[in-house]
Amino acid sequence: MAYRSPAKHYDRIDARILELVQKNNRLTTEAIGEQVGLSATACQRRLKRLRKEGIIEADVSIVSAKAIGRPIQMLVLVTLERERVDIIDKFKRDIKSSSEIATGFYITGEADFLLYITARSMEDYEEYTRRFFYENPHIKSVKTLVVVDRVKAGFAVPIDDPEDNWGLEG
């Protein structure tokens, strides 16, 4: 039997709304309502609830790093010296406070964190690594992978049918 972790409650209409706003978060509630068969007011209430319950975490726009003068993009694997809760928590706070880090993940495997970082130039990135990584005594290693071409960018996740059985599957 496969176990699926429980999800927050949403119905099929919510699922369709989630699919739509993941593709275009600028849709009006009127446009969403037309596509899901609800009034704009009903869509607005559902969106408010989905945000309040944390199902929708944020409404964002994906900005081209190249277009704003940050053409250098890197994926950075960071390994900490030891896995202590206080060190991990502090590094998570450091990630959140760094504007150069667009996305950060605490991961399993050989590294502890995977970061997506943009820079104006390799010189700027080198200066940033000296300040952010090398001055941190809790970092054991940093491995930088330079992005040659961003093939896909987004945060959309597949929306499961809420009528599926949440929990144990046979």
Side-chain angles (χ1 to χ4, degrees):
M1 282 194 260
Y3 176 76
R4 289 177 47 185
S5 64
K8 296 189 179 188
H9 178 72
Y10 63 92
D11 63 19
R12 281 195 166 138
I13 294 173
D14 290 338
R16 182 68 181 125
I17 291 170
L18 292 169
E19 288 173 346
L20 292 169
V21 298
Q22 282 192 111
K23 291 177 184 160
N24 182 356
N25 73 343
R26 295 185 64 191
L27 287 175
T28 63
T29 52
E30 291 82 9
I32 296 168
E34 286 176 18
Q35 294 187 52
V36 301
L38 291 176
S39 70
T41 305
C43 282
Q44 191 172 28
R45 277 195 305 269
R46 283 176 179 259
L47 283 165
K48 183 177 179 181
R49 179 181 50 78
L50 292 167
R51 288 181 179 106
K52 182 180 176 191
E53 292 177 359
I55 294 172
I56 295 176
E57 293 182 26
D59 295 289
V60 300
S61 296
I62 298 172
V63 175
S64 166
K66 287 181 184 179
I68 61 163
R70 299 186 70 81
I72 309 298
Q73 301 171 76
M74 285 85 38
L75 296 174
V76 181
L77 295 165
V78 179
T79 305
L80 299 178
E81 196 62 53
R82 30 186 107 62
E83 289 207 27
R84 282 191 358 219
V85 174
D86 59 325
I87 294 171
I88 292 167
D89 288 347
K90 181 175 181 329
F91 193 66
K92 285 180 180 181
R93 287 190 302 275
D94 292 346
I95 290 169
K96 289 176 183 177
S97 67
S98 173
S99 61
E100 289 85 355
I101 300 173
T103 306
F105 298 97
Y106 178 41
I107 61 173
T108 63
E110 292 182 32
D112 297 310
F113 290 87
L114 172 64
L115 310 175
Y116 169 65
I117 299 176
T118 63
R120 288 185 294 274
S121 66
M122 286 307 289
E123 292 81 12
D124 282 349
Y125 177 64
E126 181 184 8
E127 189 275 322
Y128 176 75
T129 59
R130 288 173 189 242
R131 188 178 73 251
F132 189 81
F133 299 118
Y134 299 144
E135 291 180 6
N136 185 332
H138 301 295
I139 293 178
K140 179 179 180 180
S141 69
V142 175
K143 182 176 182 179
T144 302
L145 307 165
V146 177
V147 174
V148 175
D149 183 25
R150 183 177 79 182
V151 178
K152 181 178 180 181
F155 293 99
V157 295
I159 305 297
D160 291 328
D161 185 334
E163 303 302 315
D164 285 349
N165 181 10
W166 296 103
L168 293 178
E169 294 178 345

